[in-house]
């Protein structure tokens, strides 16, 4: 229904025990060459890429939801237009990413089914509610900032279709970041009520933002393998440090308080010290038990059901589907 998935005709060679193919594959990665869909790749590389790109795609469509709820309530026409464009961009990113994942042999239909059945993961951060307009501002500034740090790094990675998708996505995300920053600055330099709103939003979003970069390197499961194959270009802790380095000073400049009493730049190590994020909460949220998981998946399920006739009509597959009147 979503178009046919590409199945690698060379899959019979996808055998990690083949030392020659494996050595050549790893040498290509070492030389900085891109791996393309029809090239030989180990099964585990393919599986890991599908897992990661699919999760990323799901994060983009689910990520459109917390901010999306503010389109009808945006303060003023200019903000409404900008937010609509941003949310539309996020859904477009999902399209690019699903296409990149399809080149590895998993169909879009299977990916969407795995999302709405709760089998696949998506970013922890979109399981929290955007309670006020200030929450949407903090998401657009700081979640997009975190996403850019991750994606700029990984766009230099080894799998061609994913890297090219990330290049395009980052260009758009940088507009989102400017839009979010403008919204936060406006609130942080506004009335007492506006300042309080943005402070409360930051306080709510800080813990999930610290989780956003993934578990600490000590407990991360996939990092070592993904870095060896240049799928991930920095560890979770390195990305978190980069985010703190770039954004803590900017947040402090606005007079906002970050809700972590231990947060400070350690002059000896050159790194940021911070309170260890609550990894038990992180696990609960990514495994389906966050404040909004059920609601997020219910929205996607409904969208899936309501859009079925459109996909059928487009594919001209089944004459029995007739557009509903309402
Ligand atoms: N959320 O071994 P690791 C965006 C899971 S896009 C949920 O360290 P890995 C745009 C992980 O899957 C945001 N689950 O994993 C936007 C694994 O579980 P599994 C999304 C997480 O893959 C902005 C387990 O924990 N970006 O925001 C998370 O090496 C504003 C062990 O973890 C991407 O997806 C998490 N945060 O590193 C849209 C980028 N972290 O699968 C709208 C691509 C970890 O074994 C509005 N992905 N897990 O069951 C990546 O770079 C990596 O996958 C990491 C995690 C860094 C997220």
């Amino acid at each position: 229904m979503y178009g046919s998935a590409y199945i690698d005709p060379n899959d019979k060679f996808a055998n990690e025990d083949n030392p020659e193919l494996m050595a050549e594959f790893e040498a290509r990665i070492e030389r900085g060459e891109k791996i393309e869909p029809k090239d030989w790749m180990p099964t585990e590389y393919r599986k890991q890429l599908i897992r990661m790109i699919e999760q990323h795609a799901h994060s983009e469509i689910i990520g459109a939801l917390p901010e999306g709820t503010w389109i009808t309530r945006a303060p003023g026409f200019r903000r409404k237009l900008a937010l609509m464009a941003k949310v539309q961009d996020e859904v477009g990113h999902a399209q690019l990413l699903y296409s990149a994942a399809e080149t590895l042999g998993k169909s879009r239909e299977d990916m969407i089914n795995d999302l709405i059945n709760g089998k696949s993961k998506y970013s922890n951060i979109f399981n929290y509610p955007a309670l006020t307009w200030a929450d949407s501002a903090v998401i657009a500034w700081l979640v997009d900032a975190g996403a850019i740090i991750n994606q700029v790094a990984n766009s230099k990675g080894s799998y061609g279709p994913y890297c090219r998708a990330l290049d395009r996505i980052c260009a758009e995300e940088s507009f989102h970041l400017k839009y979010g920053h403008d919204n936060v600055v406006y609130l942080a330099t506004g009335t007492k009520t506006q300042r309080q709103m943005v402070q409360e939003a930051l306080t709510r979003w800080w813990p999930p933002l610290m989780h956003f970069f993934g578990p600490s390197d000590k407990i991360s499961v996939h990092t070592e393998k993904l870095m060896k194959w240049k799928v991930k270009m920095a560890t979770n802790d390195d990305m978190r440090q980069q985010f703190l380095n770039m954004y803590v000073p900017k947040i402090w400049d606005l007079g906002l308080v970050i809700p972590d009493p231990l947060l400070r730049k350690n002059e000896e190590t050159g790194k940021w010290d911070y309170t260890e994020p609550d990894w038990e909460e992180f696990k609960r949220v990514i495994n389906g038990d966050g404040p909004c998981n059920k609601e997020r998946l219910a929205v996607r399920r409904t969208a899936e059901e309501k859009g079925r006739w459109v996909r059928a009509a487009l594919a001209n597959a089944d004459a029995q589907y007739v557009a509903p009147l309402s």
Side-chain angles (χ1 to χ4, degrees):
M1 228 30 104
Y2 291 91
S4 58
Y6 172 71
I7 302 294
D8 184 3
N10 294 322
D11 210 29
K12 61 179 184 272
F13 298 120
N15 175 5
E16 277 172 75
D17 295 334
N18 184 323
E20 272 170 41
L21 288 174
M22 189 69 171
E24 173 55 14
F25 168 80
E26 292 193 331
R28 289 188 64 196
I29 290 187
E30 194 52 39
R31 290 196 295 270
E33 287 175 29
K34 296 284 185 229
I35 305 298
E36 296 298 338
K38 290 189 177 174
D39 294 345
W40 185 89
M41 61 186 85
T43 308
E44 181 59 14
Y45 176 83
R46 184 188 298 277
K47 273 194 200 153
Q48 284 282 353
L49 275 168
I50 292 174
R51 178 190 68 83
M52 207 173 110
I53 303 173
E54 178 182 359
Q55 283 182 12
H56 189 170
H58 297 331
S59 303
E60 301 277 358
I61 44 168
I62 297 281
L65 300 177
E67 286 173 285
T69 59
W70 280 95
I71 291 175
T72 54
R73 296 171 289 168
F77 190 58
R78 277 182 53 239
R79 299 283 190 217
K80 191 191 286 282
L81 274 181
L83 179 58
M84 241 175 349
K86 177 188 190 301
V87 168
Q88 189 173 313
D89 282 353
E90 306 296 2
V91 178
H93 298 168
Q95 295 288 355
L96 288 172
L97 292 162
Y98 283 127
S99 299
E102 278 186 307
T103 64
L104 291 151
K106 181 163 180 179
S107 75
R108 191 171 298 210
E109 195 160 25
D110 285 348
M111 289 188 263
I112 297 284
N113 284 338
D114 285 351
L115 169 67
I116 60 185
N117 295 329
K119 201 172 151 202
S120 291
K121 292 192 169 64
Y122 56 87
S123 183
N124 70 297
I125 202 145
F126 302 119
N127 290 306
Y128 295 85
L131 297 179
T132 69
W133 170 250
D135 292 63
S136 82
V138 169
I139 297 173
W141 184 29
L142 296 178
V143 179
D144 278 86
I148 290 174
I149 287 172
N150 171 290
Q151 290 162 189
V152 166
N154 291 344
S155 69
K156 311 286 183 299
S158 62
Y159 188 57
Y162 187 42
C163 297
R164 290 188 286 273
L166 291 181
D167 276 339
R168 287 189 57 177
I169 291 170
C170 285
E172 291 183 354
E173 298 285 27
S174 57
F175 281 102
H176 302 168
L177 178 116
K178 287 196 172 76
Y179 154 84
H181 187 232
D182 182 61
N183 278 343
V184 170
V185 170
Y186 187 87
L187 295 170
T189 56
T191 64
K192 190 167 168 239
T193 309
Q194 286 171 320
R195 286 201 304 277
Q196 191 179 335
M197 260 173 69
V198 76
Q199 176 61 61
E200 285 171 5
L202 177 67
T203 303
R204 276 193 286 278
W205 287 86
W206 190 258
L209 262 168
M210 291 296 280
H211 288 149
F212 178 81
F213 300 90
S216 73
D217 295 351
K218 291 192 285 281
I219 53 174
S220 165
V221 182
H222 305 291
T223 297
E224 197 182 330
K225 191 181 288 167
L226 291 179
M227 289 204 51
K228 182 175 106 178
W229 283 334
K230 296 192 183 169
V231 173
K232 265 169 93 163
M233 299 299 280
T235 71
N236 301 353
D237 284 341
D238 285 347
M239 301 235 188
R240 207 169 357 255
Q241 284 290 335
Q242 202 182 326
F243 172 79
L244 295 171
N245 231 356
M246 289 173 76
Y247 290 94
V248 170
K250 291 188 172 72
I251 296 170
W252 282 345
D253 277 352
L254 290 171
L256 296 170
V257 178
I258 296 173
D260 179 353
L262 298 187
L263 185 69
R264 69 175 185 112
K265 183 89 178 249
N266 184 325
E267 297 307 335
E268 277 169 33
T269 61
K271 293 195 169 170
W272 288 83
D273 292 337
Y274 51 82
T275 305
E276 192 62 24
D278 180 349
W279 296 119
E280 287 311 310
E281 166 167 351
F282 171 78
K283 267 193 230 152
R284 268 197 312 278
V285 171
I286 67 172
N287 287 311
D289 195 17
C292 296
N293 298 57
K294 290 185 183 62
E295 179 187 328
R296 300 284 184 249
L297 290 189
V299 172
R300 287 311 321 163
R301 231 172 263 129
T302 305
E304 200 49 26
E305 281 158 19
K306 287 198 168 162
R308 187 168 297 131
W309 71 270
V310 179
R311 293 192 302 278
L314 283 174
N316 199 15
D318 193 339
Q320 69 172 315
Y321 284 101
V322 177
L325 289 174
S326 59

